[in-house]
Structures are given as C-alpha cells and as structure tokens.
Amino acid sequence: MEALDIYWWLLWGSLGIAVISLFLGDVLDGVLDSIFDSIGEFFNPLLLFSTLAVIGGSGVLFTKYTGLSGAYVLLISLVIGLGAYLLIYYFLVIPLSNAEASSSFSVQELEGKLGEVITTIPANGYGEIFIESPNGSRSETAKSFDEVEIKQGQKIVVVEVIDQILYVSKLDEF
C-alpha cells in the first residue's frame, strides 16, 4: 500500500466517522461520553477526528503535489495536524465547554422589579410576592423594607435583596 493510499484512508475514515457521529450522535452520546470523559477533555472526539482528517488531507496534498519523501510528508502532516489540534482545542472546545446556556437568573437581578403580594407581609415578618418577567414568573419570600404591613394584592417594588430575602415597599400609584 502506498503512502498516498494510507493518507486517503486516514482522511476518508476520519471524515466518515465524523459524519456518522453527526447523524448518530444522540444515540452514541452516552457511550462516547463515558469513554472520553475518563481520558479527559484534551482527547475530545471532535479533536481526534478533525486532527486525523487534517493529517490525512495534508498528507494527500503533500504526497500528490510535492516531490518530498514519505518521511518528510508524514512529519509535515503531523506538525500541521498538531497545529490544527491546538487551534481547535483553544478556539472551539474550550469556549464551547465554558459556554452556559441557561434561562435562569439570580435573585439579585430582581432589585427594582415590580410585583404583587400573594401572601400578606406583616410589619415584622415574612410574606410572599409574585414577580413576572420575560424569563418566566416566580414567587419569592419577602419582607417589608419599611416595616409596615403590606396586604395581599398590593403592588410592590423590590428595594434590595439580602440573603435571598427580597425587601419590598408598597408601590404608590401616581
């Protein structure tokens, strides 16, 4: 088998595995995750298959279009593959693993929000308020900021948040 054939097999084999994992990714997700989690993020399947594809592709190109010997082509292909590996790792894998997709928000973000009392808040006790937002509605434990009773149904504004407790004041209508 010639060197060019080996590079073609490497190129098409890694691309084939990448395409199969694209279509069967959900089915194979649990199996591959358990395998690759045990050896670390640095040996991610995306990295391995893309690096093999780059090595194979550069090997095909260098073998076909240059007069270099097989050892030099292999060495150059491995260096290019290593460069691709590092680029993909630092510019794709790390940012994607740090990305966080969440629609939740912190209770601290509720300061200044308007809401309604759903359980009367005694002057020196706790009650419950309801706040609507584009991310969804939620009810939270609240205490009167002004230390006055706030009755059920009253509109309020969140003044501050301390230890996950919302301190609220009556919202005076204009």
Side-chain angles (χ1 to χ4, degrees):
M1 187 180 268
E2 289 183 28
L4 185 60
D5 291 337
I6 293 171
Y7 290 121
W8 275 112
W9 277 102
L10 188 62
L11 174 65
W12 288 111
S14 60
L15 289 175
I17 291 171
V19 168
I20 289 171
S21 68
L22 177 69
F23 290 114
L24 299 176
D26 290 339
V27 175
L28 301 174
D29 190 34
V31 174
L32 292 177
D33 279 350
S34 63
I35 292 170
F36 287 105
D37 281 349
S38 63
I39 58 176
E41 186 181 278
F42 205 65
F43 294 106
N44 185 312
L46 169 72
L47 286 169
L48 293 177
F49 297 134
S50 59
T51 302
L52 290 176
V54 169
I55 292 170
S58 61
V60 167
L61 293 174
F62 281 109
T63 302
K64 192 169 186 177
Y65 296 112
T66 67
L68 297 173
S69 70
Y72 287 124
V73 169
L74 178 62
L75 183 64
I76 293 169
S77 296
L78 289 173
V79 169
I80 291 172
L82 178 64
Y85 184 92
L86 293 173
L87 285 172
I88 293 168
Y89 181 73
Y90 286 109
F91 292 110
L92 188 64
V93 173
I94 289 177
L96 286 177
S97 66
N98 292 336
E100 190 174 311
S102 175
S103 61
S104 65
F105 54 93
S106 168
V107 73
Q108 299 296 331
E109 295 174 24
L110 295 176
E111 286 184 9
K113 301 286 183 191
L114 303 178
E116 182 179 336
V117 176
I118 54 177
T119 303
T120 300
I121 303 171
N124 291 318
Y126 297 95
E128 192 171 5
I129 61 169
F130 181 76
I131 297 177
E132 291 185 57
S133 73
N135 295 338
S137 351
R138 59 192 292 172
S139 59
E140 295 287 337
T141 304
K143 187 170 183 171
S144 175
F145 181 76
D146 304 314
E147 296 184 357
V148 297
E149 181 179 72
I150 307 174
K151 296 205 180 283
Q152 180 179 1
Q154 176 73 44
K155 300 291 183 189
I156 52 90
V157 63
V158 179
V159 177
E160 66 181 339
V161 179
I162 301 173
D163 295 330
Q164 306 296 318
I165 305 293
L166 280 62
Y167 286 81
V168 300
S169 287
K170 287 183 191 178
L171 183 65
D172 295 324
E173 306 277 337
F174 292 100

